[in-house]
Amino acid sequence: MPIAALSGPQYLREGLKLILSPGLRLFVILPLTVNLLLFAGLIYFALRQFGGWVDAFMPSLPEWLMFLEYILWPLFVVLVLLMVFFTFTLLANIIAAPFNGFLAEKVETVARGEDSAPPFSWSELLAMLPRTLGREARKLAYFAPRALALLILSFIPVVNLVAAPLWLVFGVWMMAVQYIDYPADNNKMSWTEMMVWLRQRRWRSLSFGAVTYAALLVPGLNLLIMPAAVAGATLFWVHEGGKTQRMPAARQ
């Protein structure tokens, strides 16, 4: 694997540093507030339901195999954690999509050296709303059938032992897709073109997705990681040769 494939952590680190800079800090407040409220509610709901979800996925074992329950239980806890985390993150991204698209646009302006402190505009943010929500619907159309297949796999005895690692790999890939899509969409790249662009940089995309996925699992840190991932993905886009075709949001 080439060294360039390990650039993902660097982009996320640079993204975190960038969103804390005075010129962009304002654009982080809105998505950060949305994420804080959403994650608080979802964590409360998940804690109340978690035990029931694990029991639902655990296979029924005959009495003479009950000793295997102590081996299988941690695996299914991990499976539920991955499913819950990924579903909640996807929901958070759908709700925060207009803010994230707006942030990606401002980060790209700074990254290309056009303006170190771009202005905030409510009208620009609202103008991006239909387009960004439409793009999130496209992501959902890509995600849903694959997630459904993994969910069905999770209920099949014996076969479901591979469900946890498959959820993990799929989650890592979706993190790359989720965040790189913001600058790609801002630059008028179609979904099909973006997926080709990502596959051409498969290992670098996966390294970015993996470090983002891992960082989002850290309580407290995950609130800052979402806007940092937007910024990091935009830096990825700029430095890895993403095309520029931006227009003022009101005309997109």
Side-chain angles (χ1 to χ4, degrees), residues 52 162 167 224 241:
V162 302
W167 272 105
L224 268 178

Side-chain angles (χ1 to χ4, degrees), residues 19 24 26-36 38-39 88-109 120 122 124-126 128-129 131-133 135-136 139 174-175 177-187 212 216 222-235 246 249 252:
I19 64 168
L24 288 173
L26 177 63
F27 300 102
V28 179
I29 294 174
L30 281 173
L32 191 61
T33 302
V34 170
N35 292 340
L36 180 62
L38 182 65
F39 273 105
F88 285 0
T89 301
L90 184 71
L91 179 59
N93 280 314
I94 291 172
I95 294 174
F99 306 108
N100 289 341
F102 190 54
L103 175 60
E105 184 179 87
K106 301 308 177 183
V107 168
E108 185 171 351
T109 298
F120 182 89
W122 281 104
E124 186 179 356
L125 174 61
L126 292 174
M128 296 180 74
L129 187 63
R131 177 173 58 79
T132 52
L133 290 180
R135 192 73 167 208
E136 289 302 311
K139 290 179 199 173
M174 278 303 301
M175 287 298 101
V177 171
Q178 178 68 47
Y179 290 105
I180 295 295
D181 183 59
Y182 294 120
D185 185 36
N186 285 343
N187 286 287
T212 301
L216 284 169
N222 56 7
L223 296 175
L224 268 178
I225 287 302
M226 188 175 291
V230 173
T234 305
L235 293 174
R246 287 177 296 147
Q252 287 181 346

Side-chain angles (χ1 to χ4, degrees):
M1 187 190 308
I3 297 298
L6 303 178
S7 58
Q10 177 185 345
Y11 287 127
L12 185 63
R13 183 172 61 251
E14 291 178 359
L16 180 59
K17 182 180 178 181
L18 193 58
I19 64 168
L20 296 176
S21 65
L24 288 173
R25 205 174 291 159
L26 177 63
F27 300 102
V28 179
I29 294 174
L30 281 173
L32 191 61
T33 302
V34 170
N35 292 340
L36 180 62
L37 295 174
L38 182 65
F39 273 105
L42 292 177
I43 288 171
Y44 174 76
F45 176 72
L47 288 174
R48 293 179 62 89
Q49 303 295 325
F50 188 79
W53 289 336
V54 173
D55 292 340
F57 281 104
M58 273 286 291
S60 299
L61 298 173
E63 188 172 345
W64 63 278
L65 287 178
M66 288 302 292
F67 71 94
L68 289 177
E69 186 172 321
Y70 298 100
I71 301 173
L72 294 176
W73 191 83
L75 177 64
F76 284 92
V77 167
V78 171
L79 172 62
V80 172
L81 280 173
L82 289 172
M83 293 171 62
V84 169
F85 160 76
F86 190 65
T87 302
F88 285 0
T89 301
L90 184 71
L91 179 59
N93 280 314
I94 291 172
I95 294 174
F99 306 108
N100 289 341
F102 190 54
L103 175 60
E105 184 179 87
K106 301 308 177 183
V107 168
E108 185 171 351
T109 298
V110 173
R112 295 192 186 276
E114 298 170 12
D115 193 345
S116 61
F120 182 89
S121 169
W122 281 104
S123 61
E124 186 179 356
L125 174 61
L126 292 174
M128 296 180 74
L129 187 63
R131 177 173 58 79
T132 52
L133 290 180
R135 192 73 167 208
E136 289 302 311
R138 182 62 186 86
K139 290 179 199 173
L140 188 59
Y142 176 84
F143 163 78
R146 292 162 177 81
L148 180 60
L150 285 174
L151 184 62
I152 293 171
L153 184 68
S154 302
F155 282 103
I156 302 174
V158 182
V159 179
N160 57 12
L161 294 175
V162 302
L166 288 178
W167 272 105
L168 179 60
V169 172
F170 180 54
V172 165
W173 174 247
M174 278 303 301
M175 287 298 101
V177 171
Q178 178 68 47
Y179 290 105
I180 295 295
D181 183 59
Y182 294 120
D185 185 36
N186 285 343
N187 286 287
K188 317 295 281 183
M189 180 177 273
S190 71
W191 175 266
T192 302
E193 289 175 322
M194 184 201 70
M195 295 301 288
V196 171
W197 190 89
L198 277 174
R199 292 187 185 108
Q200 290 172 345
R201 298 156 180 82
R202 186 182 305 275
W203 288 111
R204 280 167 284 181
S205 300
L206 287 172
S207 72
F208 177 78
V211 71
T212 301
Y213 197 111
L216 284 169
L217 289 171
V218 180
L221 178 63
N222 56 7
L223 296 175
L224 268 178
I225 287 302
M226 188 175 291
V230 173
T234 305
L235 293 174
F236 185 111
W237 173 265
V238 171
H239 296 308
E240 299 292 340
K243 69 178 183 178
T244 305
Q245 195 179 340
R246 287 177 296 147
M247 298 170 60
R251 302 207 318 258
Q252 287 181 346

